[in-house]
Amino acid sequence: MALQNHHSFKAGAALHDPSGADVLEFALAERREGREAAVASLARVDGASPRRIGAQMAVAEDGRFVGSISSGCVERAIAAEAVAAMGAQHGRSLRYGAGSPFRDIILPCGSGIDILVSTPLDADVLGAALDALNARRPAALDFVADGCAAAHGEPASGTLRRAYVPRTRLVIAGVGAETVVLSRMAEIAGMEVHVMPPEDETLERAAGVRTALRSTAQTDLPTLDPWSAFVLLFHDRDWETPLAAEALKTDAFFTGAVGGARTHAMRREALKLAGVPEGRLDRLRGPIGLVPSTRDPSALAVSILAEIVAEQPA
């Protein structure tokens, strides 16, 4: 089975996409250790699928893999085929489910999926894409059976173009249990987390997140780009007003603060007095969280994280 047309995939709003940068990191680590690696990409779906076109997994020559294409239905079979492709030094196209020659592999949804296995892989190409993502810039690669390359111009027939965006960066300014729980949950979900409490205790309890900061200046914010969210989890106006004012100047896709409607009205008034224009004020969300009036720290953290995920840019 050959791919008849090129496919383009734009990374969407997945919170922690294990078929994104994690796949490239795994494949690059294998190549830099002198071992082969392959990337398997979901190239076509006939029917329903738990993953979107462009979902990927990386496979090492000993069968280890990261990523997911079908929520567990065919990953091990794909890994075995990828190992065989590495042995042959050339990738291949696979079909599973409806219309597949692999009669012993059944997709419960009744669909058919086409998988493109790409190998050998160029470490320099993978490294350049990851360098861009680590610098908070998007990247795109073109995958074909015999490897991948940086995306340029229109993709040729038989090519799957995969776009990648930087990890979601979540900056949390606050104190107490909500800050700790939200930071830990966001870290587990794969976000790049920055914590900014005004005291040491919260920072210590939030230890273990990917990035933890204690700001020495009230407006010393990490860079907030279009893949960033900023959350205020305290009611101290001395901290809240300048931090919110700075955050509202940035390109963050989400800026919000905890508290009820009355608190939010007072917050807006304080920011207006601080000179924040009305247009920027309208970008400040509050009350935040998809579950109204949640007071339990864990439930509030879940509620806030869910709203952030729902608002991530496609």
Side-chain angles (χ1 to χ4, degrees):
M1 182 277 301
L3 298 179
Q4 299 300 313
N5 299 293
H6 74 261
H7 298 265
S8 290
F9 170 75
K10 183 177 182 181
L15 171 61
H16 172 41
D17 185 3
S19 62
D22 290 358
V23 162
L24 301 184
E25 289 168 355
F26 181 90
L28 180 59
E30 292 299 301
R31 296 297 292 126
R32 285 182 171 169
E33 289 294 326
R35 297 186 291 265
E36 294 295 339
V39 168
S41 308
L42 179 58
R44 178 177 174 177
V45 176
D46 294 325
S49 171
R51 299 285 185 267
R52 298 169 295 175
I53 290 176
Q56 292 179 315
M57 53 187 284
V59 185
E61 61 184 25
D62 62 1
R64 290 175 295 113
F65 65 88
V66 300
S68 174
I69 284 179
S70 70
S71 292
C73 298
V74 298
E75 275 75 6
R76 293 194 179 280
I78 292 171
E81 290 290 333
V83 169
M86 283 181 266
Q89 285 289 294
H90 196 278
R92 57 190 62 181
S93 296
L94 307 169
R95 175 78 174 187
Y96 292 101
S100 171
F102 303 107
R103 301 294 184 183
D104 57 331
I105 301 175
I106 307 298
L107 300 184
C109 58
S111 302
I113 58 174
D114 292 342
I115 309 297
L116 174 64
V117 178
S118 303
T119 192
L121 300 172
D122 188 325
D124 291 339
V125 171
L126 299 174
L130 283 168
D131 286 346
L133 293 175
N134 290 334
R136 307 292 296 175
R137 301 192 308 270
L141 295 177
D142 283 345
F143 288 87
V144 292
D146 59 355
C148 64
H152 296 293
E154 286 295 318
S157 179
T159 300
L160 185 140
R161 176 163 292 178
R162 177 42 154 108
Y164 304 86
V165 296
R167 277 186 205 278
T168 299
R169 171 178 286 167
L170 175 60
V171 180
I172 307 168
V175 295
E178 292 88 349
T179 298
V180 174
V181 175
L182 180 58
S183 66
R184 290 177 174 172
M185 288 180 53
E187 170 68 10
I188 292 170
M191 291 184 174
E192 177 190 304
V193 183
H194 297 247
V195 181
M196 298 179 64
E199 39 81 6
D200 289 327
E201 181 183 354
T202 297
L203 187 64
E204 291 169 0
R205 291 173 63 203
V209 298
R210 181 170 284 109
T211 304
L213 302 176
R214 180 166 185 247
S215 179
T216 55
Q218 290 181 344
T219 57
D220 182 19
L221 288 175
T223 300
L224 296 172
D225 55 31
W227 303 280
S228 299
F230 178 73
V231 175
L232 286 157
L233 291 182
F234 47 50
H235 305 287
D236 187 336
R237 293 286 181 269
D238 290 340
W239 272 81
E240 188 179 75
T241 300
L243 282 171
E246 286 300 307
L248 290 170
K249 296 176 183 177
T250 73
D251 295 325
F253 71 85
F254 182 97
T255 302
V258 73
R262 183 169 176 270
T263 298
H264 190 63
M266 292 189 293
R267 178 184 297 122
R268 283 180 59 100
E269 189 61 31
L271 287 166
K272 190 181 298 185
L273 291 174
V276 177
E278 193 74 30
R280 287 185 191 164
L281 280 176
D282 291 341
R283 294 180 52 215
L284 181 64
R285 296 167 181 265
I288 54 173
L290 293 185
V291 182
S293 304
T294 300
R295 297 182 183 276
D296 175 74
S298 295
L300 179 59
V302 171
S303 180
I304 293 170
L305 193 61
E307 183 175 358
I308 292 170
V309 173
E311 294 298 324
Q312 286 184 114

